[in-house]
Amino acid sequence: MKHGGTYRNLALLAALAVVVGSLTGCFGGSSTPTAPSANVSQVTGTILAPEGTAVAAATRRPMLLDWFDPVAYALGVGTPLAGAKVIALNFANGTQVGTEATTDSSGRYTISNIPAGIDVLIVATKDTAAGPVRLTRLVADLAEGTSPADVDAATSVVAEAYAVNMNKDFDLAADVVQAAVQAAAAELESVSTLDLTVGHGVIQSTLGSGLDPAARTEVQNIVKTAVAEPAKAMVRGLLTAGLTASGTFETEVEAEVNDFDANIIPYFQDVVNAFVEPYGYELTRVAAASYTKADLEAALSSSTAEWGAYHGTWTITDAGITQVVTITKSGDYETWTFSITGQNGFEETGSAPLQARLAPGQLNSNSFSFTARTSTDATPVSFSGSMNCSLDEQGRMTSGTLSGTFSSEKVNGQGTLTVQCFDSSPSVPQRITYNGTLRTVSRTYTGTFTTDLVLVPETPTVLPCVPSRMVFTGSYTSTTGVTAQGTLDAQFPNAATYDPSSGENSSNYLQGTFTFDGSFTKPGYQTINTDLTITRSSNTTYTADLAYSCGAATLAGKIAHQTDTGSTTVNLTNEAGLVVQMTVDGSGRATGTITGFGAQLATIAYNSALHMNQATYPDGEFNSLF
C-alpha cells in the first residue's frame, strides 16, 4: 500500500510557505472595526502648533510688523493654536461624531458625546494669513469617560499619513499608533521648523491623501519613520510571538505533514496489513489431512457448521505465507492462537477468542490481540481490544473494525480503526478511518483520520492500493506547546497512474493539493487563524495561496517555490495595505522590500557580516527575519 516514501512530497508542499513567517505573528494592526460601545466618551486636550506653522488669524487688521514678518509663527516646542475649529471623525467611515469645539486662548478644546470604542481622528483647522492650518491626532479604541488627546506636530504627521485608510472600515491598533507618534516625535527633535499649513510642507490639500511625497528630505525622514511603524510592528508581532521565518506556523503545518508521512500513515498501513491479511482471507488457510481450505471457508460462512470441528494445531504454506494456528474450545468460544510468517520479513503472532455462534460471514472477538512486523525494516505494531470482521462467501474481508489500544515505538493510541474494502477486490482497503487519540513522538492528536485509497494493479506493494487522499479533522498539541485545530487535507488526483519507480519528470510527478483550514495557538499568545492552500503545479513548482488573521489583523497573498533552484518568491499584503515583496535564493539569502503609504518602509537583505536576513527601516533600526 506504500509508494516507498513518495508521499514525503507532502513536506515539499508545505515547505514553500516557510519564508512567510517573518511577516506573521499578530501583524501589528487590524482590519475589522471594533464594535462601538453603547456609552459615550469625550476627548480633551491642547492644540500646539510647531515652529514654522502660522498661527495668526487671516482676518486680523494688518500691522506695521507684518511688513517685516508677514506671518506669525509658533515658537519653541509649540504655540497654542487659539480660535481653531476642532471636530472628531469616525476613522472607520469618515463621518463626524460628537460635538464641535473651538479652542480657547490656551489652545484647549473638549469634544463630547463621542461613541466609546471607536477609532477617532481629531481634526483642528484655522484660517491664517499664510493659509489654512490643519493639525490632527488619532485616538484608537476610544475609552469610556474622558480621554486626554493633545494635538501637536508628531501626532499630525502620523495622523495625516494614516488618514489614507480613513473611510475604509479600517481599525487602528493603539500600540502601533503610539509607537508611530513616539518615533515621529524623536525625529522632530532634530528638525528646526515644520509647516503644517495646508498645501505647504507635508500637509496635502485633501485630508486622507497622506503626507506630501515632495516634502524636503528632513521631513521625509519623519514621514518614513512614522509610517514605517506598522512594518516594524508587523515584524515585531512575529518576534514577540517567538517565531522566525524558519519557525512559523507554515513549518508547523510542514512538521504535521511530515509526522503524517513518516509515522502515522505508515503505522496505519502496517496495522491494516496485519489486520486484513490474516484475519480475513488468510485466517482460513489452516488445513489438515482431513479438512480442506474449502471446509474452513464453509465453516466461517455457515451458521450450522459444527462448532469445535477444527480443534488442534494446523500448519499450511501457501503463496509464500506459512501459518501455524492452534484452535482450542472453551464453552461458547474458540480461541485461535496463530503465528504467521511471509514474504519480505512479514511476521505476526496473535490470539482471537471467537464467539461460538456466529452470524454467517462474521468474525467477532471481544479480547483480540496481535503483534506484527510487516517487513524486515518495519517497526512492530501491536493491538489489543475488540475486533469485528465481515467476510464474503470465500472468507475474504469486506469490512472490519478494531477498537482498543494501538501501540508501537513511534505511534500509540486509543480509538477505533475501521476498514472498508473494495467491492471488486475484497481484503484490499478502499477507506481507512481512525477516530480517537493518537500520540507520536512530537504530537498528540485527537480527532478523525481518513485515508482514501485507489487500486494500482501490478504494483509491487504489500497491498495493491495507494493513498489518493488523506484528511485529519480535530486538534493536536505539539511537544513545543503549540496547539492546532482544524482540517488538514491532502489530495493526489493522479495517485493511481503516478509511477515513482520511473523517477519524476515533467510528465510523471505526483500531483497534489494540500489545504489547512484552522488555527494555531502558542502558549501565552493570541490565536492565529490560517487558511492555506498549496498546489503542486509542475514537477518543480509549488504555489501557495494563504490568508492569516490574528484578532482583526490579516495577512494574505501568494508564495511560489521552485524545487530545481531552491528559490522562493513572496508577495503578501497586510490589513494596513503594506506590501511585502521578497525573493529568497537557493542559499537562503533574501532580497525585497516592505512598502506602503506611498513610501518604502523597509529593505529586506542578507547581512553577510551577521550571517542573517534582516528588515532595515529608514531610521536605521532592523529586525532579523531568519
Side-chain angles (χ1 to χ4, degrees):
M1 190 163 63
K2 301 179 183 178
H3 255 332
T6 296
Y7 292 94
R8 284 179 174 76
N9 283 310
L10 279 172
L12 291 175
L13 282 173
L16 69 93
V18 167
V19 292
V20 70
S22 64
L23 311 169
T24 59
C26 279
F27 322 128
S30 13
S31 59
T32 302
T34 303
S37 165
N39 298 321
V40 295
S41 304
Q42 69 175 14
V43 291
T44 185
T46 302
I47 312 294
L48 295 172
E51 184 172 354
T53 298
V55 296
T59 55
R60 68 184 174 85
R61 192 163 78 89
M63 300 177 63
L64 181 62
L65 187 61
D66 292 342
W67 292 101
F68 301 96
D69 187 7
V71 181
Y73 287 97
L75 301 174
V77 296
T79 297
L81 188 64
K85 174 184 173 182
V86 187
I87 62 173
L89 302 177
N90 184 334
F91 192 79
N93 56 32
T95 59
Q96 184 175 341
V97 291
T99 59
E100 186 176 302
T102 300
T103 56
D104 61 18
S105 60
S106 298
R108 295 204 48 87
Y109 76 96
T110 297
I111 298 177
S112 304
N113 297 325
I114 304 174
I118 67 171
D119 299 327
V120 174
L121 176 61
I122 305 299
V123 182
T125 56
K126 181 181 179 180
D127 289 330
T128 72
V133 171
R134 185 170 70 229
L135 284 87
T136 50
R137 176 180 180 137
L138 291 170
V139 181
D141 302 324
L142 182 63
E144 294 182 25
T146 301
S147 295
D150 289 341
V151 181
D152 58 19
T155 67
S156 297
V157 167
V158 172
E160 291 284 345
Y162 278 48
V164 295
N165 288 306
M166 187 171 65
N167 197 23
K168 296 179 181 179
D169 285 334
F170 183 83
D171 189 26
L172 297 168
D175 58 339
V176 174
V177 173
Q178 181 182 5
V181 171
Q182 291 173 346
E187 287 289 331
L188 281 171
E189 291 179 359
S190 61
V191 175
S192 58
T193 62
L194 183 66
D195 189 354
L196 298 182
T197 306
V198 174
H200 297 190
V202 296
I203 303 299
Q204 300 208 65
S205 298
T206 304
L207 179 63
S209 299
L211 291 157
D212 187 352
R216 64 182 187 270
T217 302
E218 59 185 356
V219 176
Q220 272 293 355
N221 289 335
I222 301 173
V223 175
K224 290 182 178 180
T225 299
V227 299
E229 264 317 304
K232 294 180 183 180
M234 186 166 59
V235 177
R236 255 196 326 267
L238 161 76
L239 299 175
T240 57
L243 304 176
T244 67
S246 57
T248 69
F249 294 127
E250 285 79 19
T251 52
E252 270 294 329
V253 173
E254 178 189 357
E256 182 181 3
V257 172
N258 283 332
D259 206 16
F260 277 29
D261 189 42
N263 298 313
I264 295 174
I265 296 303
Y267 178 77
F268 284 154
Q269 291 175 336
D270 289 344
V271 170
V272 170
N273 289 340
F275 182 31
V276 171
E277 287 289 323
Y279 310 128
Y281 178 66
E282 297 300 338
L283 189 60
T284 68
R285 290 179 183 243
V286 293
S290 57
Y291 297 106
T292 66
K293 178 179 170 183
D295 293 329
L296 290 174
E297 292 171 349
L300 289 170
S301 60
S302 171
S303 60
T304 59
E306 179 184 356
W307 185 250
Y310 307 104
H311 293 172
T313 299
W314 317 106
T315 301
I316 185 170
T317 300
D318 182 26
I321 299 176
T322 298
Q323 301 189 57
V324 178
V325 181
T326 298
I327 304 175
T328 59
K329 182 177 183 298
S330 176
D332 289 337
Y333 287 86
E334 276 192 345
T335 298
W336 294 36
T337 304
F338 49 87
S339 174
I340 306 170
T341 58
Q343 297 175 337
N344 301 318
F346 187 101
E347 299 176 348
E348 183 169 3
T349 60
S351 176
L354 303 175
Q355 294 178 4
R357 293 174 178 82
L358 300 174
Q362 293 292 315
L363 288 177
N364 300 290
S365 176
N366 291 324
S367 182
F368 175 62
S369 63
F370 69 79
T371 298
R373 183 194 298 269
T374 58
S375 65
T376 53
D377 60 349
T379 300
V381 297
S382 299
F383 171 78
S384 177
S386 62
M387 176 269 285
N388 174 273
C389 285
S390 296
L391 310 175
D392 65 8
E393 65 279 0
Q394 296 181 16
R396 298 174 301 180
M397 181 188 290
T398 57
S399 64
T401 300
L402 298 176
S403 185
T405 301
F406 299 81
S407 58
S408 73
E409 292 180 4
K410 296 181 178 180
V411 180
N412 295 275
Q414 186 76 30
T416 298
L417 178 74
T418 301
V419 179
Q420 182 64 47
C421 297
F422 285 95
D423 291 339
S424 59
S425 299
S427 292
V428 178
Q430 182 178 20
R431 169 169 284 191
I432 303 168
T433 304
Y434 178 85
N435 185 48
T437 300
L438 209 61
R439 295 176 300 280
T440 66
V441 174
S442 61
R443 286 166 177 73
T444 298
Y445 299 86
T446 301
T448 301
F449 296 84
T450 302
T451 302
D452 291 330
L453 304 106
V454 291
L455 291 170
V456 184
E458 301 178 2
T459 184
T461 58
V462 178
L463 290 175
C465 54
V466 294
S468 61
R469 184 178 187 184
M470 293 176 279
V471 180
F472 169 68
T473 300
S475 62
Y476 76 74
T477 301
S478 71
T479 53
T480 61
V482 174
T483 60
Q485 185 165 350
T487 297
L488 180 72
D489 188 344
Q491 300 184 44
F492 308 98
N494 69 332
T497 57
Y498 167 63
D499 181 10
S501 63
S502 299
E504 291 204 338
N505 53 55
S506 59
S507 59
N508 180 60
Y509 65 93
L510 184 65
Q511 301 168 10
T513 299
F514 168 85
T515 61
F516 178 80
D517 186 3
S519 63
F520 291 99
T521 305
K522 191 169 185 176
Y525 300 98
Q526 286 182 275
T527 295
I528 296 199
N529 298 309
T530 304
D531 187 353
L532 176 67
T533 299
I534 304 174
T535 303
R536 191 180 191 192
S537 53
S538 77
N539 63 314
T540 60
T541 304
Y542 296 82
T543 57
D545 291 280
L546 60 90
Y548 288 115
S549 64
C550 176
T554 64
L555 185 69
K558 292 182 178 293
I559 299 175
H561 179 68
Q562 291 293 132
T563 59
D564 51 349
T565 63
S567 64
T568 301
T569 59
V570 178
N571 195 318
L572 300 170
T573 303
N574 80 344
E575 79 292 338
L578 273 66
V579 177
V580 181
Q581 293 179 311
M582 178 170 60
T583 299
V584 182
D585 65 20
S587 65
R589 300 188 176 197
T591 57
T593 59
I594 301 176
T595 57
F597 303 105
Q600 181 171 307
L601 310 181
T603 299
I604 299 171
Y606 179 75
N607 187 321
S608 57
L610 298 177
H611 304 289
M612 69 179 186
N613 291 297
Q614 66 184 41
T616 304
Y617 309 102
D619 59 3
E621 289 188 13
F622 66 87
N623 288 120
S624 170
L625 297 183
F626 288 72

